[in-house]
Amino acid sequence: MATPMLKQQPSDQTVLAGLGRALVQHQMLRPDEAVAIQRKADNTGTPFIDELIESGQFSAAQLARFGAEAFGHPLFDLSAINFGALPEDLLSRKLALETRVVAIGRRGNKLSIAMSDPTDFQALDRIKFSAQATIDPIVVEHDKLLKLLEKLSHSAAAQLSELIDENLDLEFSNDEQSTSSSVDTSEVDDAPVVKFLQKVLFDAIQQGASDIHFEPFEKFYRIRFRIDGVLMEISQPPLAIKDKLSSRIKVISRLDIAEKRVPQDGRMKLVLSNQRAIDFRVSTLPTLFGEKIVMRILDSSSAKLSIDALGYETDQRQALIDAVGRPFGMVLVTGPTGSGKTVSLYSCINILNEPGRNIATAEDPAEINLPGVNQVNVNDKAGLTFAAALRSFLRQDPDVIMVGEIRDLETADIAIKAAQTGHMVMSTLHTNDAPSTLIRLLNMGVAPFNIASSITLITAQRLARRLCSCKEEHVLDEEALLRAGFLESDLDGKWKPMRPAGCDRCNGSGYKGRVGIYQVMPVTEEIQRLILTGGNVLDIASQAAREGVRDLRRSGLMKVMQGVTSLEEVFGATNE
């Protein structure tokens, strides 16, 4: 635990409450540490206790003992409980999972519930209202509670089996009758496939998946989630439901369910509560044995991440903030698909999103709704291309323009001219690193003097999986570390490389969440001179290194030194 210290009030505007405030009052946590953890929890939309354990300040067992002693509640070991003997009629499963509590028993008008954070008064009020009873909290260890809740939540495949067993007369047909997006689906609202799809979507959101893959094959049908960048098989439902499931997804995504010969793109929204809704971007693809469907989960909370939460080093973050804060110029973010470029741009826009600025974005499509920002979906079929949208923006008195991607010379030319005429322009490209971005623009046909005079900064990025709190020391000799790319000055004995261990919290993978690895390269006068004199990628990279710009591998090694990720992850993300 942290060393006790004299109490003091936090100096910023973040308001501490509940568990964080109690820890500060009992001199178990410094106010600045509690504020930092609270701010991170607010930015990521996760409960305070999760971020507290993730920070490594306390173990689940330490927090349980503190919560029981500080608030006068009983302490209970959930490992001693028989899951099968838990009463099922005291609290709805949905409410238990949403509030993260487990009903232990009821005597008269008193309901005993197990919870890891006894200061979660919102959850207590919801349970009290639902159960119409006096609530008696029992404090348990957070990791054991999450494990028990995981058992409580049936897998999607198990729930489908139950539903099919209960509806033996349900027939799965392979008809291809023409049905438009306006079809009345009220007759199938209670069908097993509908409930199954809802469970899959909820499971994906709960597990933090970024994509859901529905894949038909000759002899089986599988569903996979992409979690922290890695695809994992979740379920193999009966092959007979593939057409029914595909039709259901296409109906709610406003796609033509009669058209199965060409790819289609659509969107749908899942409303979780009055405060939260999740958008899904849906893509269908005809394959040999049916339509493969991929659903990208677009959670607007990811767009609200601060620059601090993305993983930039201090100097990189400052360089980026300085660049986007200029009244004109161009900032480019590069990297492969799925490397977090859009989230980085949204985070920059959030910094600039003020009443005094006119911000417009052209995206394909707009993945996340940003209040206060004028977002436009490009539509090539209708003639609304990136270039056409940019021309319209320039007649709308913009201050900041974001282009989803620069794909051709026409778009690049208009964007660069906008950056030269008093507008801040942000966009993305698909290149391997920052120096190669300049050469890519030259290959598109952009004039060297236009590149040198307009581009302010280029950021290249990758995503690496973040080590879970169960990480352990990875013993490597000095020679191996030097071969990996570390400098002799790095090997000062103040840090140790870590590797994944695996626990219930991370489902045995050893990783939970992802962190960005960045190369932030300001376009200085020397780099401008190289562009104008025909310098190649190596020349630009060498000059950037002399100016202190770290390449992706070096930035990744710094994350290893900080204990954030493993050496294997850095090698995989920055394969050079």
Side-chain angles (χ1 to χ4, degrees):
M1 289 190 182
T3 303
M5 59 166 291
L6 293 177
K7 290 187 287 186
Q8 60 185 24
Q9 295 300 319
S11 58
D12 63 63
Q13 298 178 353
T14 302
V15 178
L16 288 176
L19 192 59
R21 184 176 181 180
L23 287 166
V24 171
Q25 289 176 340
H26 285 76
Q27 302 178 8
M28 306 289 286
L29 192 65
R30 295 205 313 268
D32 59 324
E33 293 174 332
V35 166
I37 295 170
Q38 182 66 64
R39 188 185 300 119
K40 184 177 180 182
D42 293 340
N43 288 336
T44 58
T46 56
F48 177 84
I49 190 171
D50 292 68
E51 292 296 343
L52 184 61
I53 294 176
E54 176 72 24
S55 71
Q57 297 272 26
F58 300 90
S59 67
Q62 288 173 325
L63 285 178
R65 286 196 300 271
F66 170 78
E69 294 172 1
F71 299 99
H73 297 307
L75 180 64
F76 185 71
D77 185 4
L78 278 181
S79 59
I81 201 168
N82 181 6
F83 175 74
L86 282 174
E88 298 182 0
D89 57 345
L90 299 181
L91 201 63
S92 72
R93 182 177 305 175
K94 181 175 181 291
L95 183 58
L97 294 174
E98 288 178 354
T99 56
R100 302 207 295 186
V101 303
V102 173
I104 301 296
R106 179 165 183 164
R107 178 175 297 180
N109 195 41
K110 182 176 289 187
L111 176 65
S112 298
I113 60 168
M115 60 192 312
S116 55
D117 184 1
T119 66
D120 190 351
F121 301 115
Q122 184 177 4
L124 290 171
D125 289 342
R126 289 184 62 188
I127 297 166
K128 182 178 180 180
F129 177 79
S130 175
Q132 291 297 301
T134 302
I135 307 302
D136 182 23
I138 298 173
V139 182
V140 296
E141 295 173 33
H142 189 62
D143 53 352
K144 294 180 180 178
L145 176 63
L146 295 182
K147 186 176 180 180
L148 189 60
L149 289 171
E150 183 66 27
K151 291 181 180 179
L152 186 65
S153 173
H154 287 309
S155 68
Q159 181 157 338
L160 177 64
S161 300
E162 292 177 6
L163 292 168
I164 291 177
D165 289 342
E166 295 173 3
N167 297 272
L168 294 175
D169 58 339
L170 184 67
E171 295 181 3
F172 293 99
S173 62
N174 293 322
D175 62 342
E176 298 186 9
Q177 61 184 11
S178 178
T179 308
S180 70
S181 60
S182 61
V183 67
D184 181 9
T185 62
S186 60
E187 295 182 359
V188 294
D189 279 346
D190 294 326
V193 68
V194 176
K195 296 180 181 178
F196 173 59
L197 178 59
Q198 290 174 344
K199 188 63 169 64
V200 170
L201 299 182
F202 278 119
D203 282 352
I205 294 169
Q206 187 180 26
Q207 296 181 35
S210 61
D211 301 87
I212 310 172
H213 292 239
F214 299 86
E215 301 172 310
F217 296 95
E218 184 177 11
K219 297 186 182 299
F220 66 96
Y221 185 65
R222 75 179 178 187
I223 298 174
R224 295 192 291 173
F225 292 170
R226 186 177 294 278
I227 301 175
D228 295 338
V230 179
L231 277 171
M232 298 190 298
E233 184 174 312
I234 300 300
S235 173
Q236 283 197 18
L239 186 61
I241 77 164
K242 66 175 184 179
D243 292 328
K244 198 76 173 180
L245 190 58
S246 172
S247 295
R248 177 62 184 170
I249 294 174
K250 290 166 75 174
V251 164
I252 59 181
S253 305
R254 300 183 180 275
L255 301 177
D256 184 358
I257 68 171
E259 180 58 78
K260 301 185 178 182
R261 298 165 298 175
V262 296
Q264 297 186 66
D265 294 303
R267 291 175 72 97
M268 58 162 286
K269 177 176 288 188
L270 182 64
V271 179
L272 300 178
S273 65
N274 292 334
Q275 291 79 30
R276 189 183 182 198
I278 305 293
D279 286 308
F280 294 82
R281 190 176 68 196
V282 181
S283 172
T284 71
L285 179 69
T287 65
L288 285 177
F289 304 105
E291 287 182 291
K292 175 182 177 179
I293 298 178
V294 177
M295 304 178 74
R296 166 65 60 88
I297 300 175
L298 308 173
D299 190 351
S300 58
S301 62
S302 63
K304 298 176 182 177
L305 291 177
S306 67
I307 292 291
D308 296 337
L310 296 180
Y312 286 94
E313 302 297 336
T314 303
D315 57 332
Q316 294 176 334
R317 181 178 66 249
Q318 191 58 51
L320 180 59
I321 291 174
D322 291 344
V324 299
R326 295 179 59 173
F328 60 88
M330 179 180 285
V331 173
L332 296 175
V333 181
T334 75
T337 302
S339 61
K341 300 187 297 296
T342 302
V343 172
S344 292
L345 285 179
Y346 281 165
S347 298
C348 292
I349 288 178
N350 275 329
I351 296 175
L352 303 176
N353 190 8
E354 298 174 351
R357 286 194 177 97
N358 179 19
I359 304 176
T361 74
E363 304 168 72
D364 184 21
E367 296 187 354
I368 296 171
N369 179 34
L370 292 174
V373 176
N374 305 289
Q375 296 175 273
V376 175
N377 279 334
V378 300
N379 187 339
D380 291 336
K381 293 181 180 178
L384 183 57
T385 61
F386 280 121
L390 272 173
R391 289 194 189 95
S392 297
F393 288 167
L394 294 176
R395 294 191 290 270
Q396 293 274 325
D397 185 31
D399 296 303
V400 180
I401 297 173
M402 188 191 96
V403 187
E405 182 183 350
I406 293 179
R407 298 174 177 171
D408 50 50
L409 175 59
E410 184 181 15
T411 306
D413 189 48
I414 299 172
I416 283 176
K417 288 179 180 176
Q420 292 172 332
T421 55
H423 306 90
M424 168 50 61
V425 180
M426 292 181 279
S427 187
T428 71
L429 265 82
H430 287 82
T431 57
N432 290 329
D433 56 13
S436 62
T437 303
L438 299 170
I439 306 303
R440 171 88 172 100
L441 290 171
L442 288 171
N443 292 338
M444 278 187 182
V446 181
F449 62 86
N450 279 333
I451 296 174
S453 62
S454 61
I455 298 179
T456 305
L457 178 138
I458 303 172
T459 294
Q461 66 183 70
R462 300 288 189 276
L463 289 178
R465 288 185 294 173
R466 187 188 295 269
L467 284 167
C468 179
S469 55
C470 64
K471 61 189 176 183
E472 61 185 18
E473 183 178 332
H474 189 185
V475 179
L476 292 171
D477 58 37
E478 185 173 317
E479 184 178 347
L481 293 173
L482 291 173
R483 286 199 306 270
F486 290 102
L487 306 176
E488 289 189 4
S489 58
D490 296 331
L491 308 181
D492 54 9
K494 295 180 180 179
W495 61 275
K496 297 289 184 183
M498 308 300 288
R499 65 181 177 186
C503 65
D504 293 334
R505 188 166 183 265
C506 59
N507 293 321
S509 68
Y511 297 96
K512 192 168 183 64
R514 290 192 286 179
V515 65
I517 296 174
Y518 303 94
Q519 179 186 25
V520 179
M521 186 183 81
V523 179
T524 61
E525 291 184 1
E526 288 299 323
I527 292 178
Q528 288 175 344
R529 189 173 292 109
L530 286 173
I531 298 170
L532 294 172
T533 56
N536 57 31
V537 174
L538 293 177
D539 296 332
I540 297 172
S542 298
Q543 178 59 36
R546 285 193 293 271
E547 294 175 359
V549 175
R550 294 183 292 274
D551 61 16
L552 288 167
R553 174 60 60 83
R554 180 62 186 167
S555 294
L557 294 179
M558 290 187 67
K559 293 289 189 291
V560 174
M561 294 169 64
Q562 295 163 7
V564 174
T565 189
S566 66
L567 201 53
E568 292 78 10
E569 273 296 297
V570 170
F571 285 162
T574 62
N575 190 15
E576 298 178 350

